[in-house]
Every structure is written in structure tokens, then in C-alpha cells.
Amino acid sequence: MEKEESEPLMPSCSGEEVRGVSASPECARVDRPHEHITGTNSEVKGHVQVTEHPTASFSFKKLWAFTGPGFLMSIAYLDPGNIESDLQSGAIAKYKLLWVLMWSTVMGLVLQLLAARLGCVTGMNLAEICRHEYPKAPRIVLWLMTELAIIGSDIQEVIGSAIAINLLSNHKIPIWAGVLITGVDTFTFLFLENAGLRKLEALFGAFITTMAASFLYMYIKIKPDQLEILQGLWFPWCQDCDKDAIQQLVGIVGAVIMPHNIYLHSALVLSRSIDRSNKNNVKEANMYYAIESAIALFLSFLINLFVVAVFAAAFSDPKYAANASLRQAGDWIAANYGLGMKIIWGIGVLAAGQSSTMTGTYAGQFVMEGFLGIRWQKWKRVLVTRSIAMVPTIIVALLATTQLDQLNNWLNVLQSVQLPFALLPILHFTSSSRIMESFKNGRVLQMVVWILALLVMGINLYLIYLFVGTNQRWYIYVVVALVILVYLTYVLYLALGLQVYSLLKMKLMSKLGINTEVCLSEHLQRENLRYPIRSPVENTNESDPPSGVRSYGYGSF
């Protein structure tokens, strides 16, 4: 594993230090130190060693070797925020919004595949590449926005777990106590990583299985209308939907597609040791990651569908729709279907909360360490990165226990608003031949993702319109207008991309008579920066991995 040591530094033209960049101005290359792996085909703690040579045909054995990262990623699609969005969708709009859930999951899959490909090809996660590519000020803003998204997601996950604990204890453990219990046991679960990567992945698999079994049992017992489910999936409309249903439609996108999950997935794929000097190995890894991610998100979609269908069938009466929430659902289930069904529901929600809180921990570690380039001991990493998210989470959860439903709606809006801060960087980086070489996005995929980006930003503006309303004081509109202006300015900066922005900046500076030498130097340095699939070199130590091998376990920077 990597030791705590500083990497070579090269001063950039802007005066900041760039880690891991060679000093040659003609062709700057990002070099990553290798972890020492005992034997070329052995499994190491925090890594899964994959057979070096690609196979000619599909191999279930190799698919199994790559299975893990996609399922951990899929847990973000099953967190308590999604569960609450599902039950509200079913209670308010019945089956009419199932098509939104399905296509949101498909859009999420496209973004997750881009994230996996970026990590697999470059050997670096999205946050690390942002650190090398963006200037300091925009990079810090991007990091803070991503941390804000993680905190928002954590609040939903911790409160969801607390509600489940409150439900399973028959309301004897208050929600504030459940919040504290969740905060403590998250740290305990994380140390299970010391037992080995595969055992940790098995634990997450058990959480997903628990959710699937719990909600499938409810689906079978309540027996939703299968024809209406099919109609809801394949007919994209929302006939006779009121404002609440339309708002729920928009909120589904924010609940399903989470920005920090894109950063997470680009890091998780690095837990598999592959030789990136061989393009066939990288191509094969991308294929298996795509298959695994598609299977994982299909399973998550089915689990979400079970929840929507259950509440559409059993709790779509107007008296339920007005107060549909995670907090009320358990009592409704107990009143209509008995204590046993309530316990099953509570177990499913608890599994969703515990698993998503743990993956949120990993996302926080990868994002903070990737953007800031820090190298800490594991206990420091876990304590600091988790505290950054958990402390405000616990404070907000404790203060807002009486307004949890309204808080959850706002947090879903937050996730949707933050999505461009992951979507636009991943789009630009995976479309760059300088970064991805032959693995860059094709024109069709670029067009699809740009349409998705525009759709998400349109949804964001509509969400703001819905939540601000029309009966506010004048100064509220002034503040909102200023926030929207700043937000759109930064999103435009990300949308233009660094290359176009640099060229426009230099052109403007030339017209104003300002010296462009420094700006041009920074632009050329960035354009010369490479993330190559290096050619293998002869190893001096048999225990060293082939050149180009780059991997690490979850939380093991």
C-alpha cells in the first residue's frame, strides 16, 4: 500500500504546486506511485487482482472479479431519500410517474458509466483530475459544492436510519437518539474494511439483499395492479396530475441522480488492479464494469419500483397523499397490515439508511482527498472526512426533527441543483482525447449527455420557481435572483470547458491591451498535461505491479 510520503512537486505557471507532474514542459505527465502487490495474481487487502491478459470471450469468472464497485454505487439509488420520494410518488400520483423513475435510472446509468470509464482509463478518480485540471479558485468552489451535496445526502440517510430505529423500537428510541446511534455505528461498520475488501463488499451485498427481500415481500402481499404498473412505465404522461404530482416528478430526478455518487464511482473502480499499459485490458475492464453497473442499477430500479407500487396500491387515498412521508409510513402500514409488515418495512428502511451512510463516508473521503491532495493515516481520514459531513448532519437532524418532511423535499432540490457540478466536469473530461485518448466519448454520447445536462438545468430552474412561489416579499426575489445569477455564471464556466474559457479570456485580454503571457503559459501547460496509459517497463522487484497498474481499496488512499 502507499506510504505517507510527498510526491514530486512542480510549480505551475500560476504559482501553485501541482502534485505528481513531471518537470518537462513539452509533455507534462501525471504519474501515480504504485502500491506494492505481493505476487502478480494475488488478492491484496483493499484490492482485487484481475487476470492480466484479456480473454477472447465473455467470462463469468472475470465478471465476478469486477463485481463490487457497481453495487456499492447503486446503494445511493436506494437511500432513505429515494425511498421517501418513492412512497410519496406512489401516494400522490399512484403509478403515473414510474416512467420518470425508469428514465432517471437510465440517465443515472449513463453518468455512472462515464465515471467508471474515467477512473478505469486514467487510474485517477474525478476529484483528483479536477485538482490537476481546474485553477485553484474554481476547484475550491467545486469541492465545497460537492461537500454540500454529500452533507445534504447524509442528512437524509442519517434521519432515515433514525426513523427506522424509532419505528423498530415502537417509538421508544426518539429520532434524535437514533441520529446519534447512526453516527456512531457508521464508524464501527467502516472498520470492517480491515477484514478484507471482499468481506466489505459482501456486507453491502447483504444490505441490498435485505432491502430487496423486505420490499418484495410487501409487494407480493399487497398485490399492486400489474397492468397499471406497465402503463406507468411505458406511457410518459401524467394525466390529471396536480401541482404536487408535478413537483414530485421533478423531485424524483434529484432523488435518484446524486452528484457525489459520480465522484464515488470513479474512485471505486480503482479497487481492481489492472494493467493500464494494455489498451485491451482497459477495454475489457470497461465492458465488465458496464455490465456490472447495469445489473446493479436494474436491481435498484426494481427495489424502488416495489416501494412506489406498494404505496400506490395501498396508500393512494387523498387522506394519505396529503401527509405521505417516511415518518408516517410505518404507522400507516401497522394500522392497515399489522405489526409484522411494519417490522419488515422498518428493516428495509434501516438497511437503506445504514448502507447509504457508509457509502457516503467513502464519497466524502475520496472527494476531500482528491480535491485537496492530502495523504493521511486511515484513522485521521475517517475522523476528519466523516466529521465534516456528520457534524452538520447531526446538528440539522436534531434541530429539524419536527420538520423532517419539508427538509427532505429541500434536500432533494439541493441534489438536483448540485448535479451540474459533477455532470459537466465528467462530460468534458471523458470527451477529451488528451485525457481519455482512444476511449473518449463519441459524438452521439456527447450529444446525449449534453441534452441530459440541459434537461437537468431546466429542471433546476423549475424547482426554484416551485419552491420560491409567487407570494414572497420583494427582497426574497432579489436574494434569489442574485443567487441564481452566481449559480448560472459558475455553471456556464463549467459548461464552456477550460479550453474554450481560456481562449475567450485571452481574446478579451488582447482586446483590452492586457498582457496574456501568463494566461497563455497556463493554457499551454494544461494542454500538455497527459494521463497516459504508460508502456510497461521491466520490473526490478517481482513484487512490484506492472507499470500502469493503479488501484486502491475503499478509503485507502
Side-chain angles (χ1 to χ4, degrees):
M1 303 300 294
E2 290 183 2
K3 297 180 180 179
E4 287 187 87
E5 57 183 8
S6 60
E7 297 174 329
L9 299 176
M10 184 195 81
S12 69
C13 298
S14 61
E16 79 178 277
E17 299 287 318
V18 181
R19 292 181 177 270
V21 182
S22 64
S24 170
E26 290 79 21
C27 187
R29 290 178 180 270
V30 175
D31 297 321
R32 304 292 301 186
H34 304 310
E35 297 84 351
H36 292 289
I37 301 178
T38 305
T40 56
N41 293 315
S42 60
E43 181 177 335
V44 247
K45 187 176 177 181
H47 308 75
V48 174
Q49 184 72 17
V50 180
T51 305
E52 289 186 16
H53 301 293
T55 53
S57 58
F58 178 82
S59 168
F60 281 102
K61 182 179 180 180
K62 187 162 283 191
L63 176 62
W64 176 248
F66 282 103
T67 297
F71 281 90
L72 266 72
M73 167 273 295
S74 72
I75 286 174
Y77 291 74
L78 298 168
D79 73 341
N82 276 287
I83 300 301
E84 181 158 48
S85 178
D86 292 338
L87 70 88
Q88 289 174 340
S89 174
I92 294 172
K94 298 195 73 173
Y95 307 96
K96 297 175 183 177
L97 299 181
L98 283 175
W99 63 274
V100 180
L101 175 64
M102 181 177 70
W103 287 109
S104 295
T105 305
V106 172
M107 290 190 297
L109 175 61
V110 172
L111 297 179
Q112 299 301 158
L113 293 183
L114 294 182
R117 186 190 299 176
L118 181 72
C120 188
V121 171
T122 65
M124 302 174 71
N125 64 53
L126 177 56
E128 290 177 302
I129 295 178
C130 286
R131 185 177 87 244
H132 287 293
E133 292 289 324
Y134 287 108
K136 186 174 182 179
R139 182 174 72 240
I140 295 299
V141 172
L142 198 58
W143 169 57
L144 292 175
M145 291 298 99
T146 308
E147 289 286 358
L148 185 61
I150 293 173
I151 292 171
S153 177
D154 268 339
I155 292 172
Q156 291 179 308
E157 293 156 0
V158 170
I159 290 177
S161 292
I163 289 174
I165 292 171
N166 173 262
L167 188 67
L168 292 172
S169 67
N170 198 24
H171 305 297
K172 291 181 180 178
I173 299 177
I175 290 179
W176 65 264
V179 167
L180 297 177
I181 292 171
T182 303
V184 172
D185 66 20
T186 298
F187 286 97
T188 305
F189 277 123
L190 285 172
F191 284 103
L192 292 175
E193 181 186 343
N194 295 324
L197 177 60
R198 278 306 202 184
K199 292 182 177 64
L200 181 69
E201 291 176 345
L203 174 64
F204 282 103
F207 280 130
I208 294 174
T209 303
T210 300
M211 285 183 268
S214 299
F215 301 141
L216 175 60
Y217 177 82
M218 296 178 67
Y219 182 87
I220 293 172
K221 292 291 289 184
I222 292 177
K223 300 177 182 178
D225 189 313
Q226 304 302 306
L227 180 59
E228 287 198 57
I229 290 175
L230 291 175
Q231 289 176 340
L233 284 172
W234 298 109
F235 293 95
W237 62 42
C238 192
Q239 188 176 2
D240 300 325
C241 286
D242 56 14
K243 181 181 177 181
D244 290 337
I246 299 298
Q247 183 175 323
Q248 194 61 39
L249 181 154
V250 176
I252 289 173
V253 178
V256 171
I257 308 175
M258 295 190 176
H260 67 276
N261 207 38
I262 298 172
Y263 287 90
L264 174 65
H265 198 198
S266 69
L268 293 177
V269 296
L270 301 180
S271 63
R272 268 52 183 176
S273 297
I274 61 171
D275 184 0
R276 290 180 176 82
S277 64
N278 186 327
K279 289 190 176 183
N280 288 328
N281 277 340
V282 177
K283 183 178 180 180
E284 182 184 62
N286 284 331
M287 179 189 73
Y288 283 112
Y289 281 134
I291 295 171
E292 185 230 5
S293 298
I295 294 172
L297 287 189
F298 177 69
L299 180 58
S300 73
F301 166 71
L302 289 179
I303 294 173
N304 283 308
L305 184 147
F306 293 155
V307 178
V308 174
V310 163
F311 281 84
F315 302 104
S316 57
D317 189 280
K319 69 177 181 180
Y320 294 118
N323 299 300
S325 69
L326 201 63
R327 195 174 185 181
Q328 300 291 334
D331 293 331
W332 294 352
I333 291 170
N336 290 274
Y337 295 95
L339 180 62
M341 190 77 84
K342 171 185 172 181
I343 292 173
I344 291 171
W345 166 255
I347 291 173
V349 174
L350 183 61
Q354 290 292 334
S355 57
S356 57
T357 303
M358 291 169 65
T359 55
T361 300
Y362 289 126
Q365 290 183 41
F366 293 134
V367 164
M368 182 177 178
E369 295 183 336
F371 273 107
L372 303 185
I374 56 178
R375 296 279 189 268
W376 286 347
Q377 292 177 332
K378 182 176 179 179
W379 70 270
K380 291 180 182 178
R381 269 197 321 269
V382 174
L383 180 63
V384 173
T385 57
R386 188 77 302 229
S387 297
I388 287 176
M390 286 297 293
V391 170
T393 294
I394 291 173
I395 291 173
V396 171
L398 293 177
L399 295 177
T401 51
T402 58
Q403 297 176 318
L404 295 181
D405 302 335
Q406 185 177 1
L407 175 65
N408 184 70
N409 290 333
W410 276 104
L411 291 174
N412 282 340
V413 172
L414 174 66
Q415 296 298 326
S416 184
V417 168
Q418 298 284 32
L419 188 54
F421 301 137
L423 190 154
L424 294 172
I426 197 73
L427 172 58
H428 280 295
F429 294 158
T430 54
S431 299
S432 170
S433 57
R434 174 174 63 82
I435 295 174
M436 301 293 288
E437 295 188 350
S438 61
F439 294 99
K440 72 172 185 176
N441 297 335
R443 290 184 179 180
V444 174
L445 183 57
Q446 287 186 47
M447 183 177 66
V448 169
V449 181
W450 272 113
I451 292 173
L452 174 60
L454 293 173
L455 176 64
V456 168
M457 285 183 277
I459 287 174
N460 291 343
L461 293 176
Y462 185 68
L463 275 172
I464 293 170
Y465 166 76
L466 285 177
F467 276 78
V468 172
T470 56
N471 298 315
Q472 304 291 342
R473 296 181 180 272
W474 66 268
Y475 57 82
I476 298 293
Y477 292 110
V478 172
V479 172
V480 170
L482 291 174
V483 171
I484 291 175
L485 180 62
V486 174
Y487 172 81
L488 291 179
T489 301
Y490 187 65
V491 168
L492 178 62
Y493 167 79
L494 295 176
L496 287 174
L498 289 167
Q499 183 179 12
V500 174
Y501 172 78
S502 296
L503 294 175
L504 290 175
K505 180 180 178 182
M506 286 187 288
K507 188 174 181 180
L508 179 61
M509 290 172 68
S510 296
K511 287 188 175 182
L512 296 175
I514 301 173
N515 192 321
T516 62
E517 184 177 344
V518 174
C519 186
L520 178 61
S521 179
E522 291 178 347
H523 173 71
L524 292 176
Q525 184 190 27
R526 186 181 301 112
E527 289 304 303
N528 286 330
L529 190 63
R530 295 290 183 270
Y531 301 83
I533 303 172
R534 293 181 293 275
S535 299
V537 295
E538 185 176 347
N539 295 324
T540 58
N541 188 331
E542 290 184 359
S543 65
D544 288 343
S547 176
V549 173
R550 164 80 167 96
S551 67
Y552 51 80
Y554 307 137
S556 301
F557 266 88

